[in-house]
Short mmCIF file of all heavy atoms in Angstrom, two decimals:
data_model
loop_
_atom_site.label_atom_id
_atom_site.label_comp_id
_atom_site.label_asym_id
_atom_site.label_seq_id
_atom_site.Cartn_x
_atom_site.Cartn_y
_atom_site.Cartn_z
N GLY L 1 27.05 -52.96 171.84
CA GLY L 1 27.28 -54.33 172.26
C GLY L 1 26.83 -54.65 173.66
O GLY L 1 26.94 -55.78 174.11
N GLY L 2 26.30 -53.67 174.38
CA GLY L 2 25.86 -53.92 175.75
C GLY L 2 24.43 -54.41 175.79
O GLY L 2 23.65 -54.22 174.87
N ASN L 3 24.02 -55.06 176.88
CA ASN L 3 22.65 -55.51 177.03
C ASN L 3 21.74 -54.34 177.32
O ASN L 3 22.16 -53.32 177.84
CB ASN L 3 22.54 -56.52 178.17
CG ASN L 3 23.19 -57.85 177.80
OD1 ASN L 3 23.16 -58.23 176.64
ND2 ASN L 3 23.79 -58.50 178.78
N CYS L 4 20.48 -54.50 177.00
CA CYS L 4 19.48 -53.49 177.35
C CYS L 4 19.19 -53.64 178.83
O CYS L 4 18.69 -54.66 179.25
CB CYS L 4 18.23 -53.70 176.52
SG CYS L 4 16.99 -52.46 176.82
N LEU L 5 19.55 -52.64 179.62
CA LEU L 5 19.59 -52.82 181.07
C LEU L 5 18.51 -52.07 181.84
O LEU L 5 18.50 -52.13 183.05
CB LEU L 5 20.96 -52.37 181.59
CG LEU L 5 22.17 -53.09 180.96
CD1 LEU L 5 23.45 -52.46 181.46
CD2 LEU L 5 22.13 -54.56 181.28
N ILE L 6 17.65 -51.31 181.14
CA ILE L 6 16.69 -50.51 181.89
C ILE L 6 15.35 -51.21 182.02
O ILE L 6 14.76 -51.22 183.08
CB ILE L 6 16.52 -49.13 181.24
CG1 ILE L 6 17.72 -48.28 181.60
CG2 ILE L 6 15.26 -48.45 181.70
CD1 ILE L 6 17.61 -46.86 181.16
N GLY L 7 14.86 -51.79 180.99
CA GLY L 7 13.55 -52.42 181.06
C GLY L 7 12.84 -52.30 179.73
O GLY L 7 13.23 -51.55 178.86
N PRO L 8 11.77 -53.06 179.53
CA PRO L 8 11.12 -53.13 178.23
C PRO L 8 10.56 -51.80 177.76
O PRO L 8 10.53 -51.53 176.59
CB PRO L 8 10.02 -54.17 178.43
CG PRO L 8 9.76 -54.16 179.91
CD PRO L 8 11.07 -53.87 180.54
N GLN L 9 10.09 -50.96 178.71
CA GLN L 9 9.48 -49.71 178.27
C GLN L 9 10.49 -48.82 177.57
O GLN L 9 10.14 -48.01 176.72
CB GLN L 9 8.85 -48.96 179.45
CG GLN L 9 9.84 -48.43 180.48
CD GLN L 9 10.13 -49.45 181.56
OE1 GLN L 9 10.02 -50.65 181.31
NE2 GLN L 9 10.46 -48.99 182.76
N HIS L 10 11.79 -48.94 177.91
CA HIS L 10 12.81 -48.16 177.24
C HIS L 10 13.37 -48.88 176.04
O HIS L 10 13.73 -48.28 175.05
CB HIS L 10 13.95 -47.83 178.22
CG HIS L 10 13.50 -47.02 179.40
ND1 HIS L 10 13.02 -45.74 179.27
CD2 HIS L 10 13.43 -47.32 180.72
CE1 HIS L 10 12.69 -45.27 180.47
NE2 HIS L 10 12.92 -46.21 181.34
N CYS L 11 13.46 -50.22 176.10
CA CYS L 11 14.00 -50.98 174.99
C CYS L 11 13.13 -50.84 173.76
O CYS L 11 13.61 -50.95 172.64
CB CYS L 11 14.11 -52.46 175.36
SG CYS L 11 15.27 -52.78 176.71
N GLN L 12 11.83 -50.60 173.93
CA GLN L 12 10.92 -50.54 172.81
C GLN L 12 10.93 -49.19 172.13
O GLN L 12 10.36 -49.03 171.06
CB GLN L 12 9.50 -50.87 173.29
CG GLN L 12 9.34 -52.31 173.74
CD GLN L 12 8.02 -52.54 174.44
OE1 GLN L 12 7.22 -51.62 174.55
NE2 GLN L 12 7.80 -53.76 174.90
N VAL L 13 11.59 -48.18 172.71
CA VAL L 13 11.62 -46.86 172.12
C VAL L 13 12.68 -46.82 171.03
O VAL L 13 13.83 -47.17 171.26
CB VAL L 13 11.91 -45.79 173.19
CG1 VAL L 13 12.07 -44.43 172.53
CG2 VAL L 13 10.80 -45.76 174.21
N LYS L 14 12.30 -46.38 169.86
CA LYS L 14 13.22 -46.34 168.73
C LYS L 14 14.17 -45.15 168.88
O LYS L 14 13.73 -44.04 169.14
CB LYS L 14 12.44 -46.19 167.42
CG LYS L 14 13.31 -46.15 166.17
CD LYS L 14 12.46 -46.01 164.94
CE LYS L 14 13.30 -46.00 163.68
NZ LYS L 14 14.16 -44.82 163.60
N ARG L 15 15.46 -45.40 168.75
CA ARG L 15 16.43 -44.33 168.80
C ARG L 15 16.25 -43.42 167.59
O ARG L 15 15.90 -43.86 166.51
CB ARG L 15 17.85 -44.89 168.82
CG ARG L 15 18.22 -45.57 170.12
CD ARG L 15 19.60 -46.19 170.02
NE ARG L 15 20.62 -45.19 169.72
CZ ARG L 15 21.26 -44.47 170.64
NH1 ARG L 15 20.97 -44.65 171.91
NH2 ARG L 15 22.17 -43.60 170.30
N ARG L 16 16.50 -42.14 167.79
CA ARG L 16 16.35 -41.18 166.71
C ARG L 16 17.73 -40.80 166.18
O ARG L 16 18.73 -40.85 166.90
CB ARG L 16 15.62 -39.92 167.22
CG ARG L 16 14.26 -40.23 167.80
CD ARG L 16 13.57 -38.98 168.32
NE ARG L 16 12.27 -39.31 168.89
CZ ARG L 16 12.02 -39.47 170.17
NH1 ARG L 16 13.00 -39.33 171.05
NH2 ARG L 16 10.81 -39.78 170.59
N LYS L 17 17.76 -40.40 164.93
CA LYS L 17 19.03 -40.08 164.28
C LYS L 17 19.10 -38.58 164.00
O LYS L 17 18.22 -38.02 163.36
CB LYS L 17 19.16 -40.85 162.97
CG LYS L 17 20.44 -40.55 162.20
CD LYS L 17 20.47 -41.29 160.89
CE LYS L 17 21.74 -40.94 160.09
NZ LYS L 17 21.76 -41.62 158.77
N LEU L 18 20.16 -37.95 164.49
CA LEU L 18 20.40 -36.53 164.20
C LEU L 18 21.46 -36.44 163.11
O LEU L 18 22.53 -37.05 163.21
CB LEU L 18 20.90 -35.79 165.45
CG LEU L 18 21.40 -34.37 165.23
CD1 LEU L 18 20.26 -33.46 164.78
CD2 LEU L 18 22.05 -33.81 166.50
N GLU L 19 21.14 -35.68 162.07
CA GLU L 19 22.08 -35.47 160.98
C GLU L 19 22.29 -33.97 160.80
O GLU L 19 21.32 -33.19 160.80
CB GLU L 19 21.52 -36.07 159.69
CG GLU L 19 22.47 -36.01 158.51
CD GLU L 19 21.89 -36.63 157.25
OE1 GLU L 19 20.74 -37.13 157.30
OE2 GLU L 19 22.57 -36.60 156.21
N ILE L 20 23.54 -33.55 160.68
CA ILE L 20 23.88 -32.14 160.47
C ILE L 20 24.57 -32.00 159.12
O ILE L 20 25.61 -32.62 158.89
CB ILE L 20 24.79 -31.62 161.61
CG1 ILE L 20 24.11 -31.80 162.97
CG2 ILE L 20 25.12 -30.15 161.38
CD1 ILE L 20 24.96 -31.35 164.14
N ARG L 21 23.97 -31.22 158.24
CA ARG L 21 24.50 -31.03 156.89
C ARG L 21 24.94 -29.59 156.70
O ARG L 21 24.24 -28.66 157.11
CB ARG L 21 23.44 -31.36 155.84
CG ARG L 21 22.92 -32.78 155.87
CD ARG L 21 21.80 -32.93 154.86
NE ARG L 21 21.18 -34.25 154.91
CZ ARG L 21 20.05 -34.56 154.29
NH1 ARG L 21 19.41 -33.64 153.58
NH2 ARG L 21 19.55 -35.79 154.37
N LEU L 22 26.08 -29.40 156.06
CA LEU L 22 26.59 -28.07 155.76
C LEU L 22 26.53 -27.84 154.26
O LEU L 22 27.22 -28.52 153.49
CB LEU L 22 28.03 -27.93 156.27
CG LEU L 22 28.66 -26.54 156.20
CD1 LEU L 22 27.91 -25.57 157.10
CD2 LEU L 22 30.13 -26.59 156.59
N ASN L 23 25.69 -26.89 153.82
CA ASN L 23 25.49 -26.62 152.41
C ASN L 23 25.85 -25.17 152.08
O ASN L 23 25.66 -24.28 152.91
CB ASN L 23 24.02 -26.86 152.01
CG ASN L 23 23.56 -28.28 152.31
OD1 ASN L 23 24.32 -29.22 152.13
ND2 ASN L 23 22.34 -28.43 152.77
N ARG L 24 26.33 -24.96 150.86
CA ARG L 24 26.55 -23.59 150.39
C ARG L 24 25.22 -22.84 150.40
O ARG L 24 24.16 -23.41 150.16
CB ARG L 24 27.11 -23.62 148.97
CG ARG L 24 28.51 -24.25 148.84
CD ARG L 24 29.62 -23.23 148.95
NE ARG L 24 29.47 -22.21 147.92
CZ ARG L 24 29.88 -22.36 146.65
NH1 ARG L 24 30.44 -23.50 146.27
NH2 ARG L 24 29.72 -21.37 145.79
N SER L 25 25.28 -21.54 150.67
CA SER L 25 24.08 -20.73 150.74
C SER L 25 23.33 -20.73 149.41
O SER L 25 23.89 -20.37 148.37
CB SER L 25 24.45 -19.29 151.12
OG SER L 25 23.30 -18.50 151.27
N SER L 26 22.07 -21.15 149.45
CA SER L 26 21.21 -21.17 148.26
C SER L 26 19.77 -21.28 148.74
O SER L 26 19.49 -21.62 149.89
CB SER L 26 21.56 -22.34 147.34
OG SER L 26 21.31 -23.58 147.99
N PHE L 27 18.84 -20.97 147.84
CA PHE L 27 17.43 -21.03 148.22
C PHE L 27 16.95 -22.47 148.24
O PHE L 27 17.16 -23.23 147.31
CB PHE L 27 16.57 -20.21 147.26
CG PHE L 27 15.11 -20.24 147.61
CD1 PHE L 27 14.61 -19.46 148.65
CD2 PHE L 27 14.23 -21.08 146.94
CE1 PHE L 27 13.27 -19.49 149.00
CE2 PHE L 27 12.88 -21.13 147.27
CZ PHE L 27 12.41 -20.33 148.31
N ASP L 28 16.28 -22.84 149.33
CA ASP L 28 15.72 -24.18 149.50
C ASP L 28 14.28 -24.00 149.95
O ASP L 28 14.04 -23.43 151.02
CB ASP L 28 16.54 -24.94 150.55
CG ASP L 28 16.05 -26.37 150.76
OD1 ASP L 28 14.84 -26.62 150.61
OD2 ASP L 28 16.87 -27.24 151.10
N PRO L 29 13.28 -24.47 149.18
CA PRO L 29 11.88 -24.27 149.56
C PRO L 29 11.54 -24.83 150.94
O PRO L 29 10.74 -24.24 151.68
CB PRO L 29 11.11 -25.01 148.46
CG PRO L 29 12.05 -25.05 147.30
CD PRO L 29 13.42 -25.15 147.88
N GLU L 30 12.16 -25.97 151.30
CA GLU L 30 11.89 -26.55 152.61
C GLU L 30 12.41 -25.64 153.72
O GLU L 30 11.77 -25.47 154.76
CB GLU L 30 12.52 -27.95 152.71
CG GLU L 30 12.15 -28.69 153.99
CD GLU L 30 12.78 -30.06 154.09
OE1 GLU L 30 13.65 -30.38 153.25
OE2 GLU L 30 12.42 -30.81 155.02
N GLU L 31 13.58 -25.05 153.51
CA GLU L 31 14.12 -24.13 154.50
C GLU L 31 13.23 -22.89 154.62
O GLU L 31 12.97 -22.41 155.73
CB GLU L 31 15.54 -23.70 154.10
CG GLU L 31 16.59 -24.79 154.27
CD GLU L 31 17.99 -24.27 153.98
OE1 GLU L 31 18.13 -23.07 153.69
OE2 GLU L 31 18.94 -25.06 154.05
N PHE L 32 12.76 -22.36 153.49
CA PHE L 32 11.92 -21.18 153.55
C PHE L 32 10.61 -21.48 154.28
O PHE L 32 10.13 -20.64 155.07
CB PHE L 32 11.61 -20.67 152.14
CG PHE L 32 10.60 -19.56 152.12
CD1 PHE L 32 10.86 -18.34 152.73
CD2 PHE L 32 9.35 -19.75 151.54
CE1 PHE L 32 9.92 -17.32 152.74
CE2 PHE L 32 8.40 -18.74 151.55
CZ PHE L 32 8.68 -17.52 152.14
N ALA L 33 10.03 -22.66 154.05
CA ALA L 33 8.79 -23.03 154.76
C ALA L 33 9.03 -23.05 156.26
O ALA L 33 8.17 -22.60 157.05
CB ALA L 33 8.29 -24.37 154.25
#
């Protein structure tokens, strides 16, 4: 709810999303790669 207070060069940068998932141990091709 706050205003963008730094300047346009920072306001234009897209925030990134970190997601942490906890899965039971199993084979995942993406993990192996």
Side-chain angles (χ1 to χ4, degrees):
N3 289 328
C4 183
L5 303 175
I6 284 187
Q9 67 271 28
H10 299 295
C11 296
Q12 292 170 2
V13 175
K14 181 180 181 294
R15 290 176 59 88
R16 302 179 181 98
K17 178 183 178 182
L18 171 66
E19 185 179 359
I20 302 178
R21 299 175 184 169
L22 188 64
N23 302 322
R24 295 268 301 279
S25 183
S26 63
F27 180 78
D28 182 329
E30 187 180 9
E31 288 185 2
F32 172 64

